[in-house]
Amino acid sequence: MDEVKNLDVYIQRMEKSLMDKLFFVDKLYEPVDTILDFGCANGVLVKAMSRLFPEYGYIGYDISEEMIKKAREYAPECSFYQSWDDMKLSPESTLINISSTVHEVYSYGTEESVEEFWGRVFNSGFKYVAIRDMMLSQSAFAPSDPADVEKARGLYPEKLAEYESIWGSIDEGFNLIHYLLKYRYTENWDREVRENYLPITVEQMQKLIPPDYEIIYKEHYVLPFIHGSIYHDCGIDLKNATHFKLLLKKK
């Protein structure tokens, strides 16, 4: 994974959507003993859940040694692992939570590591699987509204030029939406501009669901904060849903 130059800013950004990441907690109509946070970063979500819902046990997993160190300092009452094989849990009584991690797995992993990731998610026998990440619908792959393109071109033109040199023209709907999701992240721009926030569509995500899991809840939406920020900064009324929540239960 590319280095995060300003780790504190990176963490603060993740914390802003904390409540939205808890969407699954009130939808567990069959009990679980443990919640596994896959890609736990500094443990902020694990700590929040452990305080709000102390009836569960909590485990955090992340491949970053630095993040695991921070997590153990931040939430010493919870368990954190950098090695998947070192975790001790019972999948049949565990929910695995994957929040803002799918796009990073695709951005920084290989074809083999992506396959391994989905294998761990769907073949381990977890009772519930909760996924929340940025995803577009296939319908977003259409020409952009020229009026929105004109507005976006006045927004950090130097950043936009670098973005288009990597991803292509914002005249294409995917590229415009992708840019609007990342232009605000100036502190770690060298990393953010190259990261693919939208590697799979909602339709592709749903095709990955194996037949032994059923959909309990799904929602495709725009975060109000993102919609408001974009409208405030450049007057674009973003109508394409950019985030997807999915809760699955093993049959």
Side-chain angles (χ1 to χ4, degrees):
M1 181 181 292
D2 291 352
E3 180 184 1
V4 180
K5 293 181 179 178
N6 193 324
L7 191 59
D8 290 337
V9 170
Y10 179 79
I11 290 171
Q12 288 169 12
R13 168 187 160 193
M14 292 190 297
E15 292 174 350
K16 284 185 178 179
S17 55
L18 186 61
M19 296 310 297
D20 195 60
K21 293 177 179 179
L22 298 176
F23 77 95
F24 57 87
V25 179
D26 65 343
K27 301 172 179 63
L28 306 181
Y29 60 84
E30 290 188 7
V32 295
D33 297 329
T34 305
I35 294 178
L36 165 62
D37 194 31
F38 189 111
C40 64
N42 71 325
V44 62
L45 183 60
V46 169
K47 188 176 185 71
M49 288 190 292
S50 68
R51 289 182 172 179
L52 291 169
F53 312 104
E55 64 269 29
Y56 302 113
Y58 292 94
I59 295 175
Y61 168 78
D62 202 289
I63 63 171
S64 168
E65 181 179 359
E66 185 176 11
M67 286 296 191
I68 290 297
K69 181 180 178 181
K70 284 181 175 291
R72 288 171 176 162
E73 294 171 352
Y74 185 64
E77 70 276 16
C78 302
S79 300
F80 296 95
Y81 297 89
Q82 189 184 355
S83 170
W84 180 264
D85 295 330
D86 288 346
M87 291 189 295
K88 308 300 180 185
L89 50 78
S90 300
E92 66 275 6
S93 59
T94 298
L95 176 146
I96 182 172
N97 178 49
I98 307 155
S99 188
S100 299
T101 302
V102 172
H103 76 272
E104 294 205 349
V105 170
Y106 278 84
S107 288
Y108 301 107
T110 62
E111 184 176 340
E112 290 76 18
S113 63
V114 169
E115 184 176 353
E116 180 183 54
F117 165 72
W118 288 121
R120 287 173 171 175
V121 172
F122 289 132
N123 298 334
S124 298
F126 293 113
K127 187 168 189 176
Y128 285 98
V129 177
I131 296 172
R132 175 194 172 279
D133 214 314
M134 294 175 283
M135 294 182 198
L136 297 179
S137 173
Q138 188 63 40
S139 62
F141 289 76
S144 303
D145 183 331
D148 288 345
V149 171
E150 184 177 356
K151 292 173 183 176
R153 291 207 177 279
L155 191 66
Y156 302 115
E158 290 184 3
K159 282 192 172 66
L160 177 57
E162 183 178 2
Y163 171 87
E164 289 188 309
S165 71
I166 297 169
W167 296 101
S169 172
I170 60 170
D171 289 334
E172 296 297 324
F174 171 89
N175 292 333
L176 175 61
I177 297 166
H178 198 191
Y179 176 67
L180 292 174
L181 286 172
K182 63 175 58 184
Y183 72 88
R184 290 177 293 113
Y185 303 127
T186 57
E187 292 85 357
N188 295 304
W189 179 248
D190 288 346
R191 178 181 188 271
E192 300 294 341
V193 69
R194 290 170 174 80
E195 184 172 300
N196 188 353
Y197 287 8
L198 304 162
I200 63 172
T201 64
V202 167
E203 292 84 357
Q204 289 170 326
M205 177 67 247
Q206 293 184 115
K207 287 181 179 179
L208 289 170
I209 302 171
D212 56 340
Y213 277 93
E214 60 180 323
I215 297 175
I216 301 301
Y217 177 84
K218 67 178 179 178
E219 181 184 1
H220 199 202
Y221 63 108
V222 181
L223 275 174
F225 173 78
I226 288 178
H227 182 275
S229 296
I230 292 170
Y231 189 79
H232 174 269
D233 291 343
C234 61
I236 293 176
D237 180 15
L238 184 61
K239 294 182 172 63
N240 291 88
T242 57
H243 286 65
F244 190 49
K245 294 176 186 172
L246 186 65
L247 179 61
L248 308 173
K249 179 184 174 296
K250 195 166 181 62
K251 295 178 181 178

